[in-house]
Amino acid sequence: MADSLAEREKQLGTECYKKQDFHGALTHYSKAIEHDNTNSAYFSNRSAVLFMMQRYSECLRDCEQALRLDSSNSKAAMRLVKCHMAKGDMMQARREMERLDLDAAARRPLEIDMVRVERNHEAAERFLREQQWAKAQACFGYVIEAAPHCTAALVGRANAEIGLKEFNKAAQTASKALQLDRMCPSAFLARARALFYSGGTQSLDAATQLLQAGMRADPDYTACRIELQKLRELTRLKEEGNKHFAERHFQDAYDTYSRALELDPQADSMNAMLFSNRALMCLKLDRFEDAVADCTQAIQRNEEYEKAYLRRAEAYMKTKQFEEAARDYEKLQRMNPNDRRIGQQLREARLEAKKAARKDYYAILGVPKDVQQPQLQKAYRKLALKWHPDKNNGSEEERERASNMFKEVGEAYAVLSDERKRQRYDSGVDLQEDMMEGGGFDPNSIFQMMFGGGGGMGGMGGMPMGMGGL
């Protein structure tokens, strides 16, 4: 009676297996074993289901029991070897082939597969050492396809994915390794690094807990301890730098952030914050070009880092790189379309860019922007006399240059000496139309007004502000 019930459950299990209903098949084969636990075929069949479900440790136990009941069960023997291969243990797989004395026809394809896995694993480890991350990832991928429960390959691929900055994927890969082996310290390390580098709000705490778990799993695995010490030192230096900043010790803060940046070049999220913080110190120290460079480093590590864009825009404004500042403010406005402050800063940057594109009348006359009328007149007189065409009788090129400078000096004075025009100029209004009113600008008219007489030098002889007075 028990035999017939066992056979019935076996048949139902086989039907489920053919339909790839492995859970159903597992249930029926288990019931068959409950009715008859002396039949090697029942254990062998259940091992086949467990293999398909990637439950390799359970599969191994059923294969071993099947072989104890019937040492000639070739299917169980083959599956036992494949289980060790799936777990990445090629050495044990070879031992089992020898122990079970598999025939040459069965051994050959297994040996070929084992050699391929081993060669790819060796190549992957070499690529990992050489930091050829994509090649390492591909080779580890082949190993995992052939040996899905190879913990070492999963950890290796997680490290390759960290190198490729695929942090979320690396965290998932390391998690798979931990599901297979909760005492694997290298998997704890890989997952900790992936989470920390991903830069989530709780990433530092999560990484710390994982590293501590790795140390408990294997106190002799020093890599977890070293990584934990590094994270704690990074945190300490960042907080120390923040304290220096709060106390307005900007150079000390700069130096502290610099030391923190040396600890881990791969920690993009943390380093983006440190570069941005150091850029702020550069702004406070009037090192504006350095601030631009540090903000750029921060943005390269985090393209959505608003503080870095804001600080770089400020540094660009300080260095009169107004178009670059406007581009950063445009980026910030896209991030925060309802922020009126950013909109105002963008308008100011565009205005300054427009003003910078025009002639700088203050620079032409060599006067500061708060120049008063007497100093303005003095600057004009000096430069008008210097560049007047009648005084420059050199080569044709020299005469042309003098003529152009004479015109620019007159134009600059015409604008800056007129209160309305000067206000419009300072506010960024285009004055080209004003300058062209009345048939065009004549620099000689300004000269005559200031010195009297005709447009030439001959009318200056009796003037108290003639050439002898300058």
Side-chain angles (χ1 to χ4, degrees):
M1 181 65 178
D3 291 347
S4 62
L5 290 174
E7 279 298 311
R8 175 60 181 162
E9 292 294 345
K10 176 196 171 187
Q11 290 172 3
L12 291 172
T14 301
E15 290 173 9
C16 289
Y17 184 85
K18 290 178 180 178
K19 296 175 185 176
Q20 296 191 346
D21 176 11
F22 300 126
H23 289 285
L26 182 62
T27 298
H28 289 298
Y29 286 141
S30 295
K31 287 181 179 179
I33 291 171
E34 288 175 8
H35 291 303
D36 182 3
N37 62 3
T38 63
N39 191 314
S40 175
Y42 297 164
F43 283 98
S44 182
N45 287 0
R46 190 169 71 172
S47 74
V49 176
L50 292 167
F51 188 89
M52 296 304 295
M53 297 174 75
Q54 295 191 355
R55 292 164 61 171
Y56 299 119
S57 295
E58 296 170 76
C59 179
L60 279 171
R61 287 195 291 269
D62 273 5
C63 288
E64 289 166 354
Q65 181 61 19
L67 288 167
R68 277 193 288 269
L69 295 170
D70 179 5
S71 61
S72 65
N73 190 327
S74 59
K75 289 183 179 180
M78 283 281 289
R79 197 167 293 120
L80 186 144
V81 174
K82 288 181 178 179
C83 271
H84 286 296
M85 291 174 62
K87 296 179 75 172
D89 193 346
M90 303 303 155
M91 185 178 295
Q92 186 61 32
R94 286 194 172 90
R95 290 197 193 100
E96 294 295 348
M97 279 201 305
E98 294 296 330
R99 181 176 70 85
L100 298 170
D101 196 24
L102 296 180
D103 60 63
R107 290 169 63 107
R108 181 166 177 75
L110 294 175
E111 288 174 341
I112 291 172
D113 287 344
M114 280 189 275
V115 169
R116 285 176 178 168
V117 169
E118 288 170 333
R119 286 179 178 173
N120 272 276
H121 203 154
E122 290 171 2
E125 293 290 352
R126 183 177 71 253
F127 289 137
L128 206 59
R129 290 192 298 272
E130 296 171 354
Q131 297 187 4
Q132 297 189 55
W133 311 119
K135 290 182 177 179
Q137 184 187 40
C139 287
F140 279 126
Y142 178 87
V143 174
I144 293 166
E145 185 177 351
H149 280 205
C150 180
T151 305
L154 286 165
V155 172
R157 187 169 73 174
N159 286 323
E161 288 163 348
I162 289 170
L164 292 168
K165 302 187 187 302
E166 298 175 356
F167 302 126
N168 292 334
K169 189 182 290 186
Q172 292 172 3
T173 303
S175 181
K176 290 179 183 177
L178 286 170
Q179 289 170 10
L180 297 173
D181 184 358
R182 291 299 302 175
M183 300 299 287
C184 179
S186 59
F188 280 112
L189 174 62
R191 183 164 169 78
R193 293 176 70 227
L195 289 178
F196 175 62
Y197 291 160
S198 70
T201 55
Q202 304 298 322
S203 62
L204 182 59
D205 290 341
T208 299
Q209 292 173 11
L210 284 163
L211 292 170
Q212 290 171 340
M215 291 167 60
R216 288 193 297 271
D218 185 354
D220 294 329
Y221 190 72
T222 58
C224 281
R225 181 177 292 103
I226 292 170
E227 190 74 10
L228 183 59
Q229 290 172 346
K230 181 181 70 180
L231 292 190
R232 286 173 173 167
E233 180 66 1
L234 262 174
T235 303
R236 186 190 70 78
L237 288 173
K238 181 172 76 72
E239 292 175 352
E240 181 182 321
N242 294 348
K243 183 174 182 291
H244 285 312
F245 169 66
E247 295 171 349
R248 303 187 66 79
H249 300 156
F250 301 131
Q251 185 61 53
D252 290 338
Y254 179 94
D255 294 340
T256 303
Y257 292 137
S258 297
R259 292 203 304 276
L261 282 165
E262 295 173 357
L263 291 177
D264 191 348
Q266 283 187 281
D268 283 351
S269 181
M270 174 65 80
N271 289 341
M273 185 187 305
L274 292 168
F275 272 116
S276 180
N277 287 1
R278 195 172 74 170
L280 179 59
M281 300 309 104
C282 291
L283 288 171
K284 297 296 184 181
L285 294 165
D286 293 341
R287 292 164 52 181
F288 303 122
E289 293 293 347
D290 289 341
V292 168
D294 274 359
C295 287
T296 300
Q297 289 286 344
I299 291 166
Q300 287 174 354
R301 288 159 176 79
N302 182 356
E303 294 182 353
E304 303 300 317
Y305 198 178
E306 294 181 18
K307 283 185 179 179
Y309 283 107
L310 196 61
R311 289 166 183 171
R312 188 169 71 175
E314 182 181 348
Y316 278 141
M317 292 293 287
K318 294 289 188 180
T319 54
K320 302 186 185 303
Q321 299 179 72
F322 303 120
E323 291 184 2
E324 290 82 354
R327 281 196 290 270
D328 279 350
Y329 285 131
E330 286 168 359
K331 172 77 172 179
L332 286 163
Q333 192 173 56
R334 289 193 294 272
M335 294 178 177
N336 303 278
N338 299 320
D339 191 324
R340 293 182 179 180
R341 182 176 58 90
I342 291 173
Q344 177 61 30
Q345 290 169 321
L346 174 57
R347 287 190 291 274
E348 291 174 1
R350 286 172 173 170
L351 176 60
E352 292 300 326
K354 182 179 179 181
K355 289 163 65 175
R358 307 171 311 170
K359 294 177 182 177
D360 187 342
Y361 292 146
Y362 293 101
I364 289 171
L365 294 175
V367 295
K369 291 190 176 181
D370 59 353
V371 65
Q372 300 299 311
Q373 194 68 17
Q375 289 77 25
L376 190 65
Q377 291 177 353
K378 183 178 181 180
Y380 169 73
R381 288 190 180 105
K382 180 178 179 180
L383 292 171
L385 290 172
K386 176 181 178 180
W387 297 112
H388 194 284
D390 289 355
K391 189 183 175 186
N392 290 271
N393 299 314
S395 65
E396 181 178 349
E397 182 179 343
E398 290 172 340
R399 291 197 304 273
E400 182 178 357
R401 179 169 181 265
S403 177
N404 290 334
M405 289 299 299
F406 182 68
K407 289 177 182 177
E408 288 198 352
V409 167
E411 181 181 324
Y413 182 73
V415 172
L416 299 184
S417 62
D418 185 301
E419 184 176 349
R420 186 180 68 88
K421 289 180 180 179
R422 182 173 176 178
Q423 288 177 348
R424 296 187 69 195
Y425 174 80
D426 289 343
S427 65
V429 174
D430 189 353
L431 297 174
Q432 188 62 32
E433 291 184 4
D434 284 359
M435 296 305 302
M436 296 303 292
E437 288 179 0
F441 168 73
D442 181 6
N444 287 309
S445 64
I446 303 293
F447 189 86
Q448 292 170 17
M449 181 181 70
M450 291 294 294
F451 294 101
M457 297 289 286
M460 293 180 57
M463 292 187 60
M465 287 299 294
M467 291 183 65
L470 291 177

